[in-house]
Amino acid sequence: MQQNFGGRPPSPRSLLLTEVAQATRRLADAGVPSPRHDAEELAAFVHGVRRGELHTVKDADFDARYWEVVARREAREPLQHITGRAYFRYLELQVGPGVFVPRPETESVVGWAIDAVRAMDVVEPCIVDLCTGSGAIALAMAQEVPRSRVYAVELSEEALVWARKNMEGSRVELRHGDARTAFPDLDGQVDLVISNPPYIPLTEWEHVAPEARDHDPEMALFSGEDGLDLIRGLERTAHRLLRPGGIVVVEHADTQGGQVPWIFAEERGWADAADHPDLNNRPRFATARKALP
Ligand SMILES: C[S@@+](CC[C@H](N)C(=O)[O-])C[C@H]1O[C@@H](n2cnc3c(N)ncnc32)[C@H](O)[C@@H]1O
């Protein structure tokens, strides 16, 4: 016999899911780019569950502190500063004031670099991450490239505090210093140099999203009038560190795809300079190979 479900009242939604829907609307009105995702992440954070487990939170357990964190996100405080954690490839990193929050765009830069190192077929590849911030790139390389020797450098003392926490127990060697003069002891020995340096032109300040402008450290964002000051310096560092045939990978802004590969010019000792898009098909990183003698 066929049952008629037509007249059955809809199953009641849990209090939490109703609150998440309301928070989503508030975040959307505040201009948060991914309001549903962030409303769910905040609910999961407050209730100590994963996002996929929100339906398991009972009405009686609804925690009113949810509205406090929603208000902070509504004021455009970064989600990752509120939860204290950022996800990057297979890592969960600790982040907060004083350190740049790793971005999803950088995950595809690292993916390319991992493939490039694997293709080198070197037994113990030597990898250097310049401008490491939270340590996201260096830690991902160490985790995903077996037997790699990974070095990282960071100039900001505040960022270093976070990098040290994240690197505890890892095999990344972290140093405090300027990427332009770092690792003289590794000159000519490195297989791959990777960097996500500051690259926003100073002239773009007013167009930067509030989360970045008001919460990421200035030193992590800006680099001279055209944004390329540090990348020009890193070109010399990479050339000094790499062995002939070694590879450099540098992230840049989506407006700089026509400029950055030219910094790695043949007459400066580079070959195969190229630019690559991210997953949204926007220009995102340049790569080049140190020319053979
Ligand atoms: C865009 S953030 C990237 C952080 C990290 N690599 C990531 O992808 O999440 C740039 C980092 O470079 C650091 N930095 C800026 N100038 C530097 C320099 N001259 N030497 C070393 N680090 C520098 C900043 O403090 C910041 O942590």
Side-chain angles (χ1 to χ4, degrees), residues 265-279:
E266 261 178 47
E267 59 272 23
R268 296 180 69 82
W270 297 100
D272 306 333
D275 204 65
H276 307 261
D278 59 20
L279 292 175

Side-chain angles (χ1 to χ4, degrees), residues 4-276:
N4 177 11
F5 290 98
R8 188 183 281 185
S11 59
R13 299 187 71 194
S14 81
L15 173 65
L16 181 61
L17 295 187
T18 309
E19 306 288 36
V20 166
Q22 199 183 326
T24 302
R25 282 192 295 277
R26 273 177 57 174
L27 296 183
D29 289 346
V32 170
S34 46
R36 174 97 209 168
H37 166 273
D38 288 16
E40 289 180 358
E41 270 294 325
L42 289 172
F45 165 66
V46 166
H47 294 91
V49 296
R50 290 176 176 278
R51 239 168 95 213
E53 297 165 345
L54 280 176
H55 63 281
T56 64
V57 178
K58 298 191 178 65
D59 281 1
D61 294 336
F62 176 74
D63 191 327
R65 279 177 310 166
Y66 182 51
W67 293 113
E68 289 169 26
V69 293
V70 168
R72 286 169 66 186
R73 186 70 190 101
E74 211 173 7
R76 304 297 294 271
E77 188 173 338
L79 173 72
Q80 297 86 347
H81 279 201
I82 301 170
T83 62
R85 60 193 181 205
Y87 299 101
F88 187 82
R89 293 185 68 89
Y90 302 104
L91 300 164
E92 185 179 322
L93 300 158
Q94 301 182 61
V95 293
V99 73
F100 180 85
V101 173
R103 304 293 205 272
E105 303 89 272
T106 308
E107 293 181 317
S108 50
V109 183
V110 170
W112 190 97
I114 288 167
D115 290 345
V117 178
R118 287 185 181 150
M120 284 175 186
D121 207 16
V122 174
V123 181
E124 287 184 359
C126 180
I127 297 166
V128 170
D129 173 19
L130 301 171
C131 308
T132 199
S134 64
I137 296 179
L139 285 164
M141 298 297 298
Q143 186 181 49
E144 297 182 57
V145 181
R147 292 193 298 279
S148 52
R149 289 173 293 132
V150 182
Y151 299 82
V153 64
E154 169 59 48
L155 186 57
S156 151
E157 303 227 15
E158 279 179 295
L160 267 182
V161 173
W162 293 99
R164 280 200 195 101
K165 281 190 212 185
N166 288 319
M167 288 179 182
E168 217 175 283
S170 85
R171 63 174 194 283
V172 178
E173 184 175 324
L174 175 65
R175 294 195 202 165
H176 179 210
D178 190 321
R180 288 164 291 195
T181 50
F183 303 114
D185 48 318
L186 296 179
D187 280 1
Q189 299 171 43
V190 177
D191 295 293
L192 182 125
V193 170
I194 181 165
S195 183
N196 174 20
Y199 52 63
I200 302 177
L202 279 168
T203 48
E204 293 292 308
W205 189 86
E206 66 201 83
H207 304 297
V208 177
E211 284 87 347
R213 196 186 56 211
D214 302 337
H215 297 277
D216 280 323
E218 213 173 297
M219 195 200 286
L221 301 179
F222 301 101
S223 193
E225 282 292 300
D226 65 355
L228 298 175
D229 278 7
L230 190 54
I231 294 185
R232 290 192 191 94
L234 297 188
E235 182 267 327
R236 282 295 90 191
T237 310
H239 198 270
R240 168 171 61 78
L241 291 174
L242 289 170
R243 59 157 171 89
I247 289 176
V248 61
V249 183
V250 180
E251 182 170 330
H252 58 67
D254 57 7
T255 50
Q256 295 165 338
Q259 293 156 278
V260 178
W262 292 100
I263 294 175
F264 297 88
E266 261 178 47
E267 59 272 23
R268 296 180 69 82
W270 297 100
D272 306 333
D275 204 65
H276 307 261

